[in-house]
Amino acid sequence: MKVSVFSTKPHDKEYLDRYNVGNNKHQLTYFDVSLNPATAGITADFDAVCVFVNDTVDAQMISNLCKNGIKLIVLRSAGFNNVDIAAATAKNIKVVRVPAYSPQAVAEHAVALILTLNRKTHKAYNRVRENNFSVEKLEGFNLYKKTVGVVGTGRIGAAFSTIMQGFGCNVIAYDVVESASLKEKGIVYKSFNDLIKEADIISLHCPLNTETKHLFNKDSFAMMKKSAMLINTSRGGLIDTTDVIEVLKNGQLGYLGIDVYEQEADLFFKDLSNTIIQDDVFERLMTFPNVLITPHQAFFTKEALTEIAITTLKNITDFENGLALENEIKLP
Ligand code: NAD
């Protein structure tokens, strides 16, 4: 199939080309630009578009894709909040994704954020390189016996919960669907309000949708333990950024570790080191000593990239061959 691959980074091309071989080889054309109204015209010569997390595929875009003869939208991600599934369904365009390329990759990154924020290894690294061997202000806390609240116990939340149990944490969870296997492992489900009141560390692993947008806002922050840690490796829109800045300023929130940011599309995955950043909200976030931001890299492991490439290509092949699409996103 002729596939236009948007938001291509060198690793996308490297991994897709490595596995795009054999009888089912597809014609992949790589574009480093995102899929947006200015670039949508490119899709006219293709059968499918392959997109990533910050390509906005809303109803207007889907209408344009339909006019251009696109039959398939291929996500190289698990999350699909950036695609209007109802609009695609109405135009008979199939949408496929990579639902479980490596839950461990994301779960382990969430743990990395916790450990770095807590034990301040990023600060120690810089200090020691300048021959400053003082331990002042590097004090952390034991994870052992702390209460960790997991919001969303699907694939990533489950992997994360198990790791945190390994640290000797008391893991509590909130999900609209409770997992029997996690309950067997001793994880206790709570209401959302009870979870945020009890947890010392809260980690977000639910999708972004109309129910979860700004789940963390001034009201939820007010219920949290003073000085708790909030970790978000899911989607930026789960946290109201304006409200989180307020609780960081007044000390209500103790730590914030984020791999995702509400307005990340203008920043993340780009080298802007010689650019004046225009996003003042993001720049304010960066001023806090207790905030750690990574650029949507939680998925970025060799194992995950391999799985993303293999599943993406299989999704395209299955569509081309008229097979059942096991990774199709359907309307609920
Ligand atoms: P999943 O579908 O396996 O699990 C999501 C869980 O969230 C499910 O158990 C679901 O019941 C639950 N949920 C749905 N609505 C909820 C609500 N209103 N409140 C509480 N829980 C709710 O998904 P996953 O593979 O574990 O991925 C979770 C999210 O992680 C994705 O949606 C995506 O946004 C994000 N993600 C981020 C990265 C990254 O690199 N930072 C990579 C992959 C996925």
Side-chain angles (χ1 to χ4, degrees), residues 52-53 77-81 97-103 106 109 151-158 174-178 192 204-209 211-212 215 232-235 238 259-260 296-300:
F52 198 47
V53 291
S77 60
F80 53 87
N81 53 288
R97 64 172 177 146
V98 188
Y101 48 81
S102 179
V106 184
H109 191 77
V151 179
T153 53
R155 298 172 184 92
I156 297 169
Y174 167 71
D175 196 311
V176 288
V177 183
E178 300 187 357
F192 177 72
L204 309 185
H205 302 288
C206 61
L208 174 63
N209 54 38
E211 280 167 37
T212 59
L215 192 60
N232 187 8
T233 55
S234 193
R235 284 293 180 268
L238 296 177
D259 185 52
V260 286
H296 207 137
Q297 69 178 85
F299 74 100
F300 201 54

Side-chain angles (χ1 to χ4, degrees), residues 255-288:
Y255 310 81
L256 176 70
I258 54 173
D259 185 52
V260 286
Y261 164 63
E262 255 189 308
Q263 307 300 335
E264 70 177 47
D266 294 333
L267 302 171
F268 286 10
F269 304 116
K270 296 171 189 161
D271 178 358
L272 301 177
S273 48
N274 277 335
T275 311
I276 309 296
I277 303 294
Q278 299 298 321
D279 183 338
D280 293 346
V281 174
F282 184 78
E283 291 301 295
R284 181 66 181 103
L285 263 186
M286 298 248 287
T287 64
F288 295 100

